[in-house]
Amino acid sequence: MQEAVMFLQKYDISINMAVKIYNKYKQRTEQVLLDNPYRLIEDIDGIGFKTADKIAMELGIGFDSEIRIKAGIVFALGEIAEKQGSTVAYIEDVKQTAISVLELDGSYLDNIESAMVDLEISGTIKKVIHEDQEALAITKYYSMEDFIAKKLVNLSCYAKVDALGSDAEIEQYEILNKITLHENQKQAILAGTSEGVVVITGGPGTGKTTIVKGILK
């Protein structure tokens, strides 16, 4: 562990982060970084592309190397998807963002397209059609979303549905808690007590917790 921490500190990684990395890779720490320092982005919370890229540069990985371009594509795809609140991003957006992240120019578009094909073949990313356009998704997130969707469909189709709530009960809930529910909140409570699945969504302070408390009551 001491050797691994000392090795990592050469790349301006804090002791706390170095210990975190060591706990993930144990005695393989040095070899993992020598093989592919970009693994840190996915494996270690708190390490982004810039940190992994700095280590890679110091380890002698080329600025236009295939391993760097692939890491930049996956990072760009994740960044776009996160900002848009989605698991997919349009291919052209990913290309342009990857060029920016990698600090390359348009002459490397062929390299990026080739790396995308390799990432798709290896199963790291997945090509999908989204709103009639070709898009990409990180495969593990696509699989998670697919799994969740199937579970929601099963719950919706096969749940035993009994209408448990009523307008009168909601009115009593309002009186007891000295609150006045919005009409949408009332509908959500009724849906939550009569449907197999209800998705309650909204920003902070929009009344989600109040709805859930109402359903439980």
Side-chain angles (χ1 to χ4, degrees):
M1 182 179 186
Q2 185 179 20
E3 288 176 4
V5 170
M6 289 176 67
F7 170 76
L8 291 165
Q9 284 194 294
K10 289 191 293 184
Y11 306 104
D12 294 328
I13 292 175
S14 69
I15 291 177
N16 287 341
M17 184 60 75
V19 171
K20 198 174 182 180
I21 294 169
Y22 175 80
N23 287 336
K24 173 68 178 179
Y25 302 127
K26 300 297 183 183
Q27 67 270 23
R28 298 184 299 114
T29 298
E30 188 170 340
Q31 192 57 53
V32 166
L33 264 71
L34 291 171
D35 290 342
N36 183 4
Y38 295 103
R39 279 187 60 178
L40 292 169
I41 301 169
E42 184 175 351
D43 291 346
I44 310 296
D45 287 338
I47 291 189
F49 182 82
K50 285 187 176 180
T51 301
D53 200 37
K54 181 182 177 183
I55 295 171
M57 294 296 103
E58 293 188 20
L59 289 171
I61 292 176
F63 200 67
D64 58 352
S65 66
E66 185 180 354
I67 192 173
R68 182 174 186 266
I69 289 174
K70 285 181 178 178
I73 291 168
V74 174
F75 180 76
L77 176 51
E79 283 283 285
I80 297 169
E82 186 174 326
K83 285 177 182 175
Q84 293 178 348
S86 174
T87 53
V88 299
Y90 294 120
I91 289 179
E92 286 305 315
D93 291 341
V94 176
K95 288 179 186 177
Q96 295 306 317
T97 304
I99 284 176
S100 175
V101 166
L102 293 164
E103 297 179 4
L104 299 173
D105 58 45
S107 64
Y108 286 92
L109 270 176
D110 287 345
N111 304 65
I112 288 173
E113 288 171 358
S114 176
M116 281 181 172
V117 172
D118 287 347
L119 286 167
E120 192 178 353
I121 291 171
S122 69
T124 304
I125 64 176
K126 185 177 181 68
K127 189 181 289 183
V128 298
I129 300 298
H130 181 63
E131 296 179 347
D132 298 325
Q133 292 187 55
E134 284 192 332
L136 295 172
I138 295 174
T139 302
K140 71 173 185 178
Y141 297 143
Y142 174 89
S143 299
M144 288 177 186
E145 186 173 55
D146 185 58
F147 175 81
I148 292 166
K150 286 174 179 173
K151 286 292 183 183
L152 288 171
V153 169
N154 285 336
L155 285 169
S156 183
C157 291
Y158 301 112
K160 183 181 178 182
V161 177
D162 291 312
L164 301 175
S166 69
D167 291 332
E169 286 180 297
I170 290 176
E171 188 178 342
Q172 185 182 25
Y173 174 69
E174 288 179 301
I175 293 168
L176 287 172
N177 290 275
K178 298 178 181 177
I179 58 173
T180 301
L181 296 171
H182 188 277
E183 192 60 35
N184 287 345
Q185 289 178 305
K186 293 178 184 179
Q187 291 174 8
I189 292 172
L190 289 174
T193 55
S194 61
E195 302 291 340
V197 173
V198 174
V199 178
I200 300 170
T201 183
T206 55
K208 298 186 299 294
T209 303
T210 303
I211 291 168
V212 173
K213 286 180 178 178
I215 291 169
L216 292 172
K217 184 64 178 176

